[in-house]
């Protein structure tokens, strides 16, 4: 199941510009995204979020959802946290599963007290209650009714505007699914219609015990999350420009996002700077939040000299553009101020009680709150923020925060005579268009500066494709900037390949062409990207790739490993070799073996060679013939005779059934070095494995052919040399691929393999010597299942390699984690901890889905959901998308039970193979 996260705004009836398109577009957007999430099955359903201040982290594909109703995702929390959130009252009749419980929703509570929780029977047996995360899944009839409502809602919203009232897309819609809330909903606008349209379906609570739930409802919560236990996972600098440490004082723990910091600026520990430009003379304390602030050099100087602005510790500062105003209003408060707590109940401003604020500044209550107001006096409705020139607002801000050295007699009249607004008025008058446009332009300028520095001074280590998307937010000027960068590409191609790989330079050029909408030129140049990857791979293995593509020089016979014509003919005459190899199953580490990753970074893979149905399934038979030329044949009945070997040249047709064998003749040097002059060859190949198996069949078959050819010619048939040559072979074929498949088939048993980048690429294969107990436990608990789903790995590989060449940070971190998991998996197997191996397989499968969202499909999801109660781990082998699956059962008994169920269940037309470790 896909994940759909769409923040839905609170719909205000007094907003003349946005309500109709907001509701209609958002619900239709949900419908569109959900169709993608459910494989385009319109009636299936989707997942949506109805909150903007929550960051959930969970595996949506593991949800066990009702088929015809709505379901709200909940998580257990303590009662003190519940008092600030929505709470679900769930029925005591529940269905329990692995890591979850499913029960009917009896009621919904908003920010309940402990007494309310107890009265409504919302306290669980462990003393906690169920937090309403705002994540809702709707399926079947419930989804169909919601979509029908979305398609007919425009007239409803037109009526809503006329009556001047408001509805909540969250509370009102959810209440329609809960009978206990119908009485509350009925008198609300369109309450009766919502109940009529949606109320026939039930709502369930899915309590996900492993769900991580971060709430960003307050500024202090934001900083807590950024500096808490998981702070090492946070990137503290993104899309930012900061000065040298010798010209500024910025604490290491400061998070700076989409911001430009000038020299002479000081920022204290654990602060957050976002979407801002801050110039010389600004001091920001510790644990502060600064958002959308633009204190430029022209703004922070007086006619007579420099002006310094200070933000005390534990304060927030932000700017807001308002409708009808040219200046952006500067807003500020203390980090822990609650704007809704009244003066009488201990409300604060800038961390001080209101009584002390008024006393220190000589401000009267009537200056902040008109006497006619019936609302409680609090920061939310206090008219405290002046609308003046930028410098005057900064000056008064320091005065109101208690920092100004100037006399109150001078600043108080200035503040009193100014037009002032409250947070409540700000909220209603924000110029969202101006705010978004300003933010986009600011980020575009930052991205342009970073991209320019990357091209001029760096080693192209940034994601230029992503930066260009940021730059083009500036519309016309953004496109012109990208074209300027495109003009710099000839200089990039002149760089030494020892500094920047050619494949990376070509990818940057392709990305810039696409950013400038030159798609045709980008597609043409894309071929150079893959040619460069192939060349770099070949160079790192053994040959210069160009040498293999050159036409053989008939005047240079006898060089390298060649012998005289008579000698070589005599040596290999009447020879016949047969090479049989196992297939491999990979536990973890795949993708870290794939060029160009493995040419630039270390790779680690943990895999195992296995026999299927009692035999070695992949092999070749090669023998010399008296007639010249080569006769190819395979197990599919294809046959081809080529008399002139010089006619075998790249590129090969993707439909050529013998391009693998032809490539093997090239990489072994048989064609280029005229190894065969009088005798010929007959090469037969077979693979008793379903096509698209994911077992590394293509690479292993290539290894068998290369090994056989080297045996025929007395070449270097060592496993390491063969493995490296297969890397080159796959680049010649145009399929790409890494080294783990051929390593998996060439070396017996379980092994942990590491690659070290350089020329040549070095491989270190460390065989694991498993105990008889481990071998027995694996063979009794691990099911090797063919799913019947076929997918070609090179289609996936193209996408992943492109993301790496673009320097996609998420992809890079995911592959690093896979390599780390391979090391952890090795230790688990050495400790005979098969259960830990299962956990590693589960995390590996999740990472593979991040690398390629389409590596799974509906059938595979159902298979894994079916197997889940029996297994401690599962994944597809290889690149995924189909082929074979590994199901690691919790015990040998459960493995046998699962096998019997799969073989007898008509819903799964799968085949469970007998296998054993190939030793």
């Amino acid at each position: 199941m896909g994940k759909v996260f769409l923040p839905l705004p609170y719909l205000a009836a007094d907003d003349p510009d946005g309500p109709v398109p907001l509701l209609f577009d958002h619900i239709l957007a949900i419908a569109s995204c959900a169709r993608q999430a459910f494989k385009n099955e319109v009636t299936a359903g989707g997942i949506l979020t109805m909150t903007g201040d929550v960051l959930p982290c969970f595996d949506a594909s593991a949800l066990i959802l009702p088929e015809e109703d709505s379901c709200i995702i909940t998580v257990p929390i303590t009662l003190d946290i519940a008092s600030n959130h929505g709470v679900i009252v769930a029925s005591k009749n529940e269905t329990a599963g692995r890591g979850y419980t499913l029960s009917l929703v009896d009621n919904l509570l908003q920010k309940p007290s402990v007494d309310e929780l107890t009265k409504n029977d919302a306290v669980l047996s462990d003393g906690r209650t169920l937090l309403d995360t705002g994540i809702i899944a709707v399926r079947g009839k419930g989804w169909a009714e919601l979509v029908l409502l979305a398609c007919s809602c425009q007239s409803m919203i037109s009526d809503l505007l006329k009556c001047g009232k408001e509805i909540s897309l969250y509370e009102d819609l959810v209440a329609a699914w809960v009978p206990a809330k119908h009485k509350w909903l009925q008198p609300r606008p369109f309450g009766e219609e919502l109940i009529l349209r949606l109320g026939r379906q039930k709502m369930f609570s899915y309590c996900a015990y492993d769900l991580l739930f971060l709430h960003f409802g307050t500024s202090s919560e934001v900083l807590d999350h950024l500096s808490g236990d998981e702070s090492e996972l946070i990137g503290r600098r993104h899309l930012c420009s900061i000065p040298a440490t010798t010209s500024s004082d910025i604490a290491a723990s400061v998070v700076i996002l989409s911001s430009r910091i000038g020299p002479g600026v000081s920022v204290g520990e654990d602060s957050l700077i976002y979407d801002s430009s801050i110039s010389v003379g600004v001091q920001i304390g510790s644990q502060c939040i600064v958002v959308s602030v633009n204190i430029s050099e022209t703004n922070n100087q007086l006619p007579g000299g420099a002006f310094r602005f200070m933000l005390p510790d534990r304060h927030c500062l932000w700017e807001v553009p308002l409708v009808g105003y040219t200046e952006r209003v500067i807003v500020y408060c203390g980090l822990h101020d609650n704007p809704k707590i009244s003066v009488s109940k201990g409300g604060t401003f800038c961390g001080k009680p209101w009584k002390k604020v008024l006393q220190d500044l000589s401000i009267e209550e009537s200056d902040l709150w008109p006497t006619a107001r019936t609302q409680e006096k609090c920061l939310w409705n206090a008219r405290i923020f002046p609308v003046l020139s930028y410098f005057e607002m900064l000056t008064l801000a320091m005065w109101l925060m208690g920092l100004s050295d100037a006399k109150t007699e001078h600043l108080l009249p200035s503040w009193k005579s100014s037009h002032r607004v409250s947070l409540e008025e700000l909220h209603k008058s924000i110029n969202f268009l101006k705010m978004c446009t300003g933010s986009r332009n600011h980020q575009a300028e930052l991205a342009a500066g970073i991209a320019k520095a990357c091209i001029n001074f760096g080693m192209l280590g940034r994601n230029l494709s992503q930066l260009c998307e940021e730059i083009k937010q500036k519309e016309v000027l953004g496109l012109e900037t990208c074209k300027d960068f495109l003009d710099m590409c000839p200089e990039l191609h002149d760089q030494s390949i020892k500094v920047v790989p050619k494949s990376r330079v070509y990818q940057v050029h392709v990305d810039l062409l696409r950013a400038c909408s030159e798609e045709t030129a980008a597609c043409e140049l894309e071929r150079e990207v893959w040619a460069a990857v192939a060349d770099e791979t070949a160079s790192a293995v053994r040959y210069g790739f160009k040498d293999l593509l050159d036409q053989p020089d008939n005047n240079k016979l006898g060089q390298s490993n060649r012998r005289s014509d008579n000698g070589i003919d005599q040596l290999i005459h009447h020879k016949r070799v047969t090479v049989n190899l196992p297939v491999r199953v990979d536990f973890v580490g795949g993708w870290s073996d794939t060029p160009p990753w493995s040419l630039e970074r270390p790779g680690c893979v943990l895999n195992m060679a296995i026999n299927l149905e009692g035999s070695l399934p992949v092999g070749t038979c090669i023998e010399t013939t008296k007639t010249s030329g080569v006769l190819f044949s395979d197990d599919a009945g294809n046959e081809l005779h080529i008399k002139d070997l010089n006619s075998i040249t790249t590129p090969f047709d993707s439909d050529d059934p013998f391009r693998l064998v032809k490539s093997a003749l090239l990489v072994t040097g048989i064609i280029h070095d005229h190894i065969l002059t009088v005798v010929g060859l007959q090469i037969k190949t077979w693979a008793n494995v379903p096509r698209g198996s994911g077992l590394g069949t293509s690479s292993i078959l290539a290894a068998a052919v290369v090994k056989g050819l080297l045996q025929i010619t007395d070449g270097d048939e060592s496993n390491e040399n063969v493995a490296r040559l297969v890397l080159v072979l796959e680049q010649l074929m145009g399929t790409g691929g890494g080294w783990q498949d051929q390593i998996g088939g060439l070396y017996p048993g379980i092994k942990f393999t590491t690659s070290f980048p350089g020329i040549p690429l070095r491989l270190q294969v460390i065989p694991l010597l498993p105990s008889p107990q481990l071998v027995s436990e694996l063979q009794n608990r691990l099911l090797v299942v063919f799913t019947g789903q076929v997918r070609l790995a090179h289609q996936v590989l193209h996408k992943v390699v492109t993301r790496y060449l673009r320097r996609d940070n998420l992809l890079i971190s995911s592959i690093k984690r896979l390599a780390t998991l391979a090391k952890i998996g090795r230790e688990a197997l050495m400790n005979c901890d098969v259960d830990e191996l299962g956990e590693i397989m589960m995390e590996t499968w999740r990472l593979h889905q991040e690398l390629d969202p389409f590596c799974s499909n509906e059938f595979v999801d159902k298979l894994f959901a079916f197997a889940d109660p029996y297994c401690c781990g599962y994944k597809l082998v290889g690149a995924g998308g189909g082929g074979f699956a590994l199901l690691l059962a919790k015990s040998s008994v459960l493995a046998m039970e699962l096998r019997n169920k799969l073989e007898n269940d008509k819903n799964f037309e799968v085949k469970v193979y007998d296998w054993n470790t190939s030793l």
Side-chain angles (χ1 to χ4, degrees), residues 247-261:
S247 60
S248 61
D249 180 22
I250 300 175
S253 59
V254 175
V255 178
I256 304 176
L257 308 173
S258 303
S259 297
R260 178 183 288 107
I261 311 295

Side-chain angles (χ1 to χ4, degrees), residues 532-822:
V533 171
D535 190 19
E536 290 156 10
T537 303
S539 297
V541 177
R542 181 174 176 182
Y543 300 101
F545 190 61
K546 186 173 182 295
D547 294 337
L548 292 176
L549 299 182
D550 285 344
Q551 288 296 324
D553 188 343
N554 295 323
N555 297 319
K556 291 186 177 182
L557 300 179
Q559 292 184 3
S560 187
N561 295 327
R562 281 189 297 104
R563 300 166 176 82
S564 67
D565 289 346
N566 291 335
I568 192 68
D569 291 341
Q570 190 67 32
L571 183 65
I572 65 175
H573 198 54
H574 302 307
K575 271 197 171 184
R576 184 176 188 272
V577 299
T578 300
V579 180
N580 289 297
L581 292 176
V583 289
R584 68 97 188 97
V585 292
D586 60 305
F587 293 118
V588 60
W591 294 116
S592 72
D593 64 307
T594 305
W597 176 285
S598 58
L599 307 181
E600 302 170 10
R601 304 167 188 259
C604 300
V605 175
L606 181 67
N607 64 19
M608 177 173 66
I610 65 170
N611 302 330
L612 292 179
E613 304 294 335
S615 64
L616 297 167
V618 179
T620 184
C621 178
I622 305 174
E623 61 180 317
T624 59
T625 61
K626 293 182 179 180
T627 57
S628 61
V630 180
L631 176 64
F632 305 111
S633 62
D634 62 21
D635 53 348
N638 298 304
E639 192 171 291
L640 175 68
H641 181 265
I642 296 179
K643 187 172 183 180
D644 181 10
L645 298 188
N646 292 336
S647 65
I648 299 177
T649 58
T650 59
F652 297 117
D653 191 320
S654 60
D655 296 326
D656 185 349
F658 297 111
R659 59 178 177 156
L660 183 151
V661 185
K662 293 176 182 178
S663 298
L665 290 169
L666 284 172
V667 299
T668 53
I670 287 177
I671 293 176
H672 187 271
D673 292 342
H674 298 278
I675 297 295
L676 300 175
T677 56
V678 177
V679 299
L681 288 177
Q682 180 175 312
I683 304 175
K684 297 179 181 179
T685 59
W686 59 87
N688 298 319
V689 180
R691 185 171 181 265
S693 66
L695 297 173
T697 310
S698 175
S699 299
I700 294 171
L701 179 59
V705 175
V706 169
K707 194 175 189 69
L709 289 172
L710 292 173
Q711 288 179 5
I712 284 283
T713 59
D714 281 353
D716 180 4
E717 61 163 309
S718 67
N719 285 340
E720 184 174 0
N721 185 52
V722 171
R724 290 200 309 249
L725 288 179
V726 173
L727 268 178
V728 184
L729 179 149
E730 291 187 320
Q731 304 303 324
L732 276 176
M733 289 176 60
T735 57
W739 46 255
Q740 81 132 320
D741 294 345
Q742 52 267 36
I743 290 292
L746 287 166
Y747 291 83
I750 306 171
K751 53 267 177 190
F752 173 80
T753 309
T754 304
S755 64
F756 303 93
I759 298 177
L761 176 73
R762 292 186 299 115
L763 298 173
Q764 183 182 48
V765 182
I766 303 175
L768 274 62
L769 303 177
S771 64
Q773 176 190 353
L774 176 61
V775 173
S776 175
E777 191 166 358
L778 278 176
Q779 294 192 171
N780 288 331
R781 290 175 56 180
L782 183 66
L783 299 185
V784 178
V785 181
F786 182 58
T787 64
Q789 310 288 299
V790 177
R791 185 176 180 195
L792 299 180
H794 69 85
Q795 298 170 344
V796 185
L797 186 139
H798 186 279
K799 297 177 184 177
V800 173
V801 170
T802 298
R803 285 180 64 188
Y804 174 70
L805 288 172
R806 286 178 170 173
R807 297 303 186 259
D808 184 310
N809 288 329
L810 184 57
L811 175 133
I812 289 172
S813 63
S814 295
I815 297 181
K816 282 182 177 178
R817 178 59 180 167
L818 287 169
T820 299
L821 286 173

